Amino acid sequence: PQYFWNAGSTGSSELVALRATEIGDEALKKMVGRAAAYGDLDNDGDVDIVLVGNGGPARVLRNDQKLENNWLRLKLEGTGKSNRDAAGALVTVKAGGVTHRRYVTAARSYLSQCELPLTIGLGKVTAIDEVSIRWPDGQTESVSELEINREHLLRQGALK
């Protein structure tokens, strides 16, 4: 498997050369990959990965870093003309002078599904300035003052 690091504002990704001491032996074993999915499996604010190889067992790569960075998780629920899972919604989070944009997507990898809630890493930022959502039906809503380091359920039409 190859692992890429999101290089942030440059818009590029960098191939990461990892050692078993950093990621574990299982994560670096060669495989014929068939599926990859991510999600916060242990509800601690960092994203974990599940890999599945051809004819082999799933490999769960739990992200247990202790950086003490802050995070925000958003679970969207569409109503009306938008689909209930809010697939296609664009979420913009402004915090600490940085703008994060994420789409809610229904599919990511062959024969797999990543979780629908969005996880936004905030680093040392301690407050959210604003969260804006452009729902699949085109409606736009915003909310501010969301508590960090937890998941929020945001329902279309019910935002302050």
Side-chain angles (χ1 to χ4, degrees), residues 39-48 62-66 69-71 73 119 149-150:
D40 187 1
L41 302 176
D42 49 3
N43 296 315
D44 63 354
D46 54 35
V47 178
D48 309 295
R62 249 185 56 188
N63 184 355
D64 287 330
Q65 60 185 331
K66 304 294 180 203
N69 286 329
N70 296 312
W71 50 275
R73 285 184 45 87
T119 301
N149 298 331
R150 64 170 286 225

Side-chain angles (χ1 to χ4, degrees), residues 71-113:
W71 50 275
L72 177 71
R73 285 184 45 87
L74 303 171
K75 182 176 181 179
L76 276 58
E77 187 177 290
T79 60
K81 294 180 182 177
S82 292
N83 61 82
R84 183 171 172 85
D85 290 332
L90 171 62
V91 176
T92 303
V93 176
K94 294 181 181 179
V98 177
T99 300
H100 307 267
R101 289 183 183 84
R102 304 282 188 280
Y103 281 96
V104 177
T105 58
R108 287 282 180 156
S109 181
Y110 178 72
L111 295 178
S112 62
Q113 169 67 50

Side-chain angles (χ1 to χ4, degrees), residues 47-62:
V47 178
D48 309 295
I49 303 172
V50 178
L51 303 174
V52 179
N54 188 24
R59 298 182 195 180
V60 178
L61 308 180
R62 249 185 56 188

